[in-house]
Amino acid sequence: MSFVEYGDTIKNGDTAIVFLGHESMFPVKVQHGNVTQTKYGVIRHSTDLIGKKYGSKVTCSKGGWVFILHPTPELWTMNLPHRTQILYSTDISIITMMLELKPGSIVCESGTGSGSLSHALIRTVAPTGHLYTVEFHQQRAEKAREEFREHGVEHLVTVTNQDVCKNGFGVSNIADAVFLDIPSPWEAIGHAKSALKAEGGRICSFSPCIEQVQRTCLAMEEYGFTELNTLEILLRVYNVRTISLQIPDLGKAAEDNSSTGFDSSNPSNQGSPCANLQQGAVQFKSGVPLREMVGHTGYLTFATKSLF
């Protein structure tokens, strides 16, 4: 099993996603002899999981059933153990696009955190690219190394435990892009410039507060970065519903029905437009926004390393 290569069959040691519903799923490490408890009953790894195909419908001990899904960066973002605040797919998608990442790209990141963005970056730059990620906290760095190894992507990522603001990324003039998600990103702009290729590259800084953005932009200008651009991504979800609206009675519908001999009591006429008019309402499909939506997550500041 690998987060960057699809495997057809569930094997011992794999990380799989147990899908109970759109709002209910969780990761599980498949191991011989282990069992996993769900609200539908027990899942026995040896008999119910190992050897089955990903996407299989598995019946639990109480008669209910779940689906076993192959892990992806998107599913991992929704189900990972939170060691820090994480970035979600809405911000990750724009970061990947604006940093112009592709297979073969070299990316530097700080900090690693829970590894949500890291998995997406690794999948994007695979199979010939590489991610250099720096984490200040030793235990988080060790846990990230362990997860990358379990997920079959350790050959695509190098995890370093150090302070990026003081010691940088540990590489020079090789990165196509740099991403910063740290409390004081303006202190790491110089190291980011050193890590980027001499012929230029892109940088992104994620900050929840506008004061952080202001100081970071000043530092970027000081180090010669150009094309500064700050974005805030807000996702608004719509539901498609059937809407029923009353129509005004202007007297014309009743006159038309009487002149044409329309009989609204006839079952064959119940679904006709005239029947709807007779009832004084019309139905149609419409997009309705949810009453609640995810608000501010953070500001994304992008810039380009100048060639001069």
Side-chain angles (χ1 to χ4, degrees):
M1 184 278 305
S2 171
F3 271 57
V4 296
E5 295 177 1
Y6 182 79
D8 191 50
T9 305
I10 303 173
K11 299 181 177 63
N12 184 48
D14 282 2
T15 298
I17 305 296
V18 179
F19 180 89
L20 291 82
H22 288 290
E23 301 296 330
S24 180
M25 53 183 134
F26 60 89
V28 61
K29 184 174 181 179
V30 180
Q31 291 182 315
H32 277 296
N34 279 12
V35 297
T36 297
Q37 297 283 349
T38 74
K39 63 181 180 180
Y40 301 125
V42 172
I43 302 173
R44 294 176 174 82
H45 294 198
S46 299
T47 57
D48 296 334
L49 299 183
I50 297 176
K52 300 290 182 65
K53 290 184 179 296
Y54 279 107
S56 296
K57 184 178 179 180
V58 173
T59 303
C60 303
S61 61
K62 293 182 180 179
W65 46 266
V66 300
F67 288 101
I68 308 300
L69 306 181
H70 192 283
T72 64
E74 290 78 16
L75 288 175
W76 186 246
T77 291
M78 297 170 64
N79 295 282
L80 58 77
H82 286 230
R83 300 183 289 274
T84 59
Q85 294 274 358
I86 69 169
L87 290 175
Y88 289 91
S89 297
T90 307
D91 288 320
I92 291 173
S93 60
I94 197 73
I95 291 169
T96 303
M97 182 188 74
M98 295 293 286
L99 289 182
E100 302 173 2
L101 302 183
K102 59 186 182 299
S105 295
I106 306 297
V107 186
C108 292
E109 174 200 25
S110 183
T112 312
S114 300
S116 174
L117 176 64
S118 303
H119 282 82
L121 295 177
I122 291 169
R123 196 260 309 272
T124 301
V125 304
T128 57
H130 201 83
L131 172 66
Y132 294 89
T133 182
V134 177
E135 173 57 49
F136 176 78
H137 193 275
Q138 182 179 356
Q139 290 181 328
R140 287 201 293 263
E142 292 173 353
K143 186 61 178 178
R145 289 193 193 98
E146 179 184 339
E147 286 181 348
F148 293 143
R149 184 168 56 254
E150 291 178 352
H151 298 165
V153 296
E154 71 275 10
H155 61 293
L156 296 170
V157 58
T158 299
V159 182
T160 306
N161 173 218
Q162 64 186 28
D163 185 351
V164 71
C165 296
K166 295 180 179 179
N167 307 112
F169 293 94
V171 296
S172 300
N173 301 321
I174 66 169
D176 297 290
V178 170
F179 177 80
L180 297 173
D181 182 6
I182 55 178
S184 52
W186 56 90
E187 296 181 359
I189 298 300
H191 294 297
K193 183 177 181 179
S194 299
L196 289 168
K197 290 181 176 179
E199 56 267 31
R202 296 280 285 167
I203 183 174
C204 174
S205 174
F206 176 89
S207 297
C209 301
I210 194 64
E211 291 82 5
Q212 293 171 300
V213 175
Q214 293 170 334
R215 296 188 65 174
T216 302
C217 288
L218 291 173
M220 288 180 175
E221 290 180 340
E222 180 182 346
Y223 280 95
F225 283 88
T226 60
E227 299 179 332
L228 273 66
N229 187 21
T230 298
L231 310 175
E232 181 185 20
I233 311 301
L234 299 176
L235 179 65
R236 191 174 189 183
V237 179
Y238 280 74
N239 281 341
V240 177
R241 297 180 181 175
T242 300
I243 305 296
S244 180
L245 293 179
Q246 296 292 323
I247 58 176
D249 182 8
L250 303 178
K252 182 173 176 56
E255 294 175 4
D256 290 345
N257 290 345
S258 61
S259 63
T260 57
F262 179 80
D263 183 6
S264 60
S265 63
N266 188 338
S268 63
N269 291 331
Q270 293 299 315
S272 69
C274 289
N276 288 335
L277 291 174
Q278 185 72 12
Q279 296 165 4
V282 61
Q283 293 184 338
F284 59 93
K285 297 290 185 181
S286 177
V288 180
L290 300 181
R291 293 186 177 182
E292 295 181 355
M293 62 178 283
V294 177
H296 172 75
T297 56
Y299 301 102
L300 293 168
T301 300
F302 298 91
T304 303
K305 179 181 178 180
S306 175
L307 298 180
F308 307 102

